[in-house]
Amino acid sequence: MLMVQPDPALGEAPPFPGGSGGGGAGEGETEEAAAPATKGRAVCWDGCGRPSSVCVCDHLPSCPIPTATRVVVLHHPHELRRKLATLPVLSKCLHNLYLLPGRRLRLGSSPLLDSLYHSSPSPTKALFLFPSSDPSSPVADLGAWVAATPPADRRDPVLIVFDGTWREAKEMVAASLPFLSRFAVRVSLGCDEGKEGESIFESELLLRKEPFLGCVSTMEAVARALRVLEPDGAGADIEARLLAVLRAMVGFQAANLKPMKSRPRLQKKKEIKKKSYEEELERGINM
């Protein structure tokens, strides 16, 4: 069974029981029910850790992919009981992926992050991935940051990702800011809180309904980030391999979806919210 490799600088990376755990960095708000293996249900324990009926072992890399980027994921404790989680499978795809359970980052969370905190400014570039609509908390587009930073200054970076529902991830970031603001740069892949997020019906990479446009699963967020962070053009291949696994997961989920009844009240609320947002934008432009 492929396991996340522990790093002396990070501490032990706890495995996910039965491959269940993780979630999306800014994923949908829906709480998933606890997901223990059903008694008598065949589970692929020696591979992807998923039920055999939705096994993705054929899509996993033959060995964890090495990366120059060290990816540190702070995952919310509740993620261990959610079904539509991408982090357990991601942990079997990447060699330099390290997991930290908890609700915030602080001194003592990780020797690696502690060393960056104490050596600020550090020669190792640390980035934490999360969007922001707050003008008082600026965020750089990751692609723009890479383009503006010389290769020598972004060699072997540390990428910090927050794993939980959108609400949980926002709380985790807010609680971690006093620690991270000393040594890490906040970056984003782009997100618009004024526009409704997509669902599995609009995207082949989403396992659940997202709260805002641009919100993606933890696995997709890491894949997109590695595409631009990895040196010598290696990121494009890594992204493609990770997204191939994610597409397989979404494909199994889509094949088992039950028809949904129309919900006119919910649709009306969405239309009112959209109209209110557009009116606020118009007022802001005319001021």
Side-chain angles (χ1 to χ4, degrees):
M1 179 186 296
L2 296 175
M3 302 296 291
V4 182
Q5 297 298 317
D7 185 336
L10 281 156
E12 187 70 25
F16 289 100
S20 293
E27 289 192 41
E29 294 290 346
T30 305
E31 283 282 336
E32 298 295 333
T38 304
K39 186 176 181 180
R41 190 181 194 182
V43 175
C44 188
W45 296 116
D46 294 327
C48 63
R50 291 163 57 83
S52 298
S53 59
V54 290
C55 172
V56 293
C57 286
D58 289 344
H59 303 275
L60 294 178
S62 56
C63 60
I65 304 168
T67 59
T69 306
R70 284 172 288 181
V71 182
V72 180
V73 182
L74 178 70
H75 62 92
H76 195 280
H78 291 173
E79 286 300 301
L80 292 176
R81 61 178 197 229
R82 290 182 178 130
K83 295 177 183 177
L84 302 181
T86 60
L87 187 58
V89 173
L90 179 62
S91 71
K92 300 177 185 299
C93 295
L94 293 179
H95 180 73
N96 284 333
L97 177 74
Y98 306 101
L99 311 179
L100 298 174
R103 299 171 187 264
R104 66 168 170 155
L105 293 171
R106 54 185 172 180
L107 281 172
S109 296
S110 156
L112 171 65
L113 300 184
D114 286 356
S115 68
L116 296 176
Y117 179 90
H118 289 302
S119 62
S120 180
S122 170
T124 300
K125 290 298 181 183
L127 309 168
F128 69 98
L129 186 64
F130 201 78
S132 173
S133 57
D134 184 358
S136 65
S137 181
V139 56
D141 176 80
L142 179 58
W145 180 88
V146 168
T149 306
D153 292 340
R154 52 182 167 82
R155 185 180 295 116
D156 302 335
V158 174
L159 177 67
I160 302 164
V161 179
F162 296 86
D163 184 56
T165 66
W166 176 257
R167 181 177 301 152
E168 289 167 352
K170 285 184 73 174
E171 292 173 352
M172 292 157 71
V173 169
S176 303
L177 273 178
F179 176 68
L180 291 175
S181 59
R182 184 179 175 98
F183 64 89
V185 177
R186 185 170 188 164
V187 294
S188 172
L189 297 173
C191 181
D192 190 341
E193 294 189 33
K195 295 183 180 179
E196 184 181 354
E198 295 180 319
S199 70
I200 194 171
F201 299 104
E202 291 91 33
S203 172
E204 61 178 358
L205 295 174
L206 293 178
L207 284 160
R208 62 178 80 170
K209 174 70 176 175
E210 299 295 350
F212 308 116
L213 186 65
C215 290
V216 296
S217 68
T218 298
M219 190 166 191
E220 183 177 354
V222 170
R224 301 296 188 199
L226 291 177
R227 176 174 60 85
V228 295
L229 287 175
E230 287 297 288
D232 305 321
D237 178 65
I238 294 172
E239 178 193 41
R241 294 170 71 182
L242 293 178
L243 294 186
V245 180
L246 182 57
R247 285 191 184 93
M249 293 176 65
V250 175
F252 281 122
Q253 180 70 11
N256 290 281
L257 283 178
K258 296 180 180 179
M260 296 179 63
K261 294 182 180 179
S262 174
R263 301 175 68 181
R265 285 187 180 181
L266 181 60
Q267 184 62 34
K268 188 174 181 180
K269 286 182 179 179
K270 290 179 180 178
E271 291 173 357
I272 292 173
K273 183 179 178 181
K274 181 179 179 182
K275 185 178 179 181
S276 175
Y277 174 73
E278 290 172 350
E279 289 174 350
E280 287 180 9
L281 278 181
E282 187 175 346
R283 283 197 297 270
I285 294 172
N286 295 330
M287 287 180 64

